[in-house]
Amino acid sequence: MEIVLSKILSEIRHQEAKLSSQMVQTVDEAYQMTLFLNDMLCIIKAKVLQGNFINEQQEIDFFKNIKPQVLGKLIYYNKVFRIETTCPVSNGRLHQNYFENQLKVLKSEYKESISNEDFYRYYRAGRTDRDHKYFRLGQINYHDGLKSGVFEIDLSFSTYYDNKVAHIIANELLYTYLLTKINPDENPDTILINGDINKDITWTNSQNALIELIYALYASNSVAHGKIGIRKLALIFRILFRTPLNDIHHAFHRMKTRSGSRTAFLDQLKFSLEEYMDKDL
């Protein structure tokens, strides 16, 4: 059984780009993405239930990296749909207060349910030494005093901790979404004034490659003399290329400790540019 993360992310990006170009209302996009991701999750679940994982590492990779990306996005878009459909007005102070209160609720949930847990620190540190306990079926240790939500999940398709990773991903996406609602200066429509011009511009390399480029521009103060934050810079690239950039800080920390060159994409850029220059000689 093989479920490829890059293919899944590509399908999600394609659907997001398609809906963004067709629909004006955020609520419509959120609803359609919720349906799309729910169907995708059902298809993936059927594959998992039908076939066995080739080895332990494939199982860990699925529950640590693949399923949480789909479930995290599903949680995110469903939450956006609920937020948009219960918003009392379309603008004004009441509108501002509504989204500010939603951000407070999100931060409160983050403190109570995510950031204070040992698992969150484990995941954020990019550790792998307990992956065999956290991301394999049938490895749940009830002596850890897990929250009662563990009894509500399908244990044939969840290790419990994959759900936690999904909520971390959803939380970060919601945080960015709410900031764009609260701060007009960070609204996608004002960052890139004419979205129609950019709808055909897509990022065709890996997500890690784009994150590497963003951090390089940030570290070199190449954009706005370094006065723009990494989160806003990432948001601009996410909107420009219509591609999700999940958990950029975690991805960056993984780059710092990866084997071989830590700047693989930048090295490739240099090589490609020099090769292109040599063609004109």
Side-chain angles (χ1 to χ4, degrees), residues 4-16 40 65-66 69-70 73 207 243-244 246:
V4 182
L5 177 59
S6 59
K7 183 180 179 181
I8 288 173
L9 292 179
S10 177
E11 289 181 18
I12 293 174
R13 284 195 294 266
H14 175 75
Q15 183 69 5
E16 287 176 322
M40 177 179 279
N65 300 311
I66 297 176
Q69 289 292 341
V70 181
K73 280 270 190 173
Q207 187 177 120
T243 185
N246 304 324

Side-chain angles (χ1 to χ4, degrees), residues 65-118:
N65 300 311
I66 297 176
K67 183 190 170 189
Q69 289 292 341
V70 181
L71 181 58
K73 280 270 190 173
L74 176 58
I75 294 170
Y76 163 69
Y77 276 112
N78 184 58
K79 183 67 173 178
V80 169
F81 177 75
R82 291 173 58 191
I83 290 173
E84 291 285 341
T85 52
T86 54
C87 184
V89 290
S90 59
N91 51 46
R93 188 61 214 166
L94 188 60
H95 177 270
Q96 182 85 359
N97 288 340
Y98 173 77
F99 283 101
E100 287 176 354
N101 287 332
Q102 290 292 330
L103 185 59
K104 288 178 182 177
V105 171
L106 183 67
K107 288 180 177 179
S108 177
E109 291 175 353
Y110 166 76
K111 271 187 178 179
E112 293 176 9
S113 305
I114 298 178
S115 64
N116 290 330
E117 295 192 354
D118 290 337

Side-chain angles (χ1 to χ4, degrees), residues 100-162:
E100 287 176 354
N101 287 332
Q102 290 292 330
L103 185 59
K104 288 178 182 177
V105 171
L106 183 67
K107 288 180 177 179
S108 177
E109 291 175 353
Y110 166 76
K111 271 187 178 179
E112 293 176 9
S113 305
I114 298 178
S115 64
N116 290 330
E117 295 192 354
D118 290 337
F119 174 76
Y120 179 78
R121 290 186 285 273
Y122 171 87
Y123 178 73
R124 274 282 176 255
R127 289 168 56 187
T128 59
D129 52 291
R130 295 183 187 173
D131 281 1
H132 63 289
K133 294 182 178 179
Y134 289 139
F135 300 109
R136 295 196 66 206
L137 293 171
Q139 299 296 312
I140 294 177
N141 184 359
Y142 294 98
H143 283 104
D144 289 340
L146 304 177
K147 293 186 177 179
S148 57
V150 68
F151 303 110
E152 300 173 7
I153 62 175
D154 182 356
L155 295 181
S156 68
F157 186 58
S158 178
T159 71
Y160 176 68
Y161 289 97
D162 58 284

Side-chain angles (χ1 to χ4, degrees), residues 23 27 36 49 57 85 120 125-126 131 137 142 163 171 179 188 190 193 199 208 218 227 240-241 247 268 270-271:
M23 300 178 180
V27 65
F36 172 79
L49 296 180
Q57 188 53 49
T85 52
Y120 179 78
D131 281 1
L137 293 171
Y142 294 98
N163 285 41
N171 184 281
L179 283 183
T190 58
I193 297 174
K199 68 181 180 181
N208 278 343
Y218 174 72
K227 295 179 181 179
L240 173 64
F241 294 120
D247 202 4
Q268 181 59 46
K270 181 176 181 294
F271 173 80

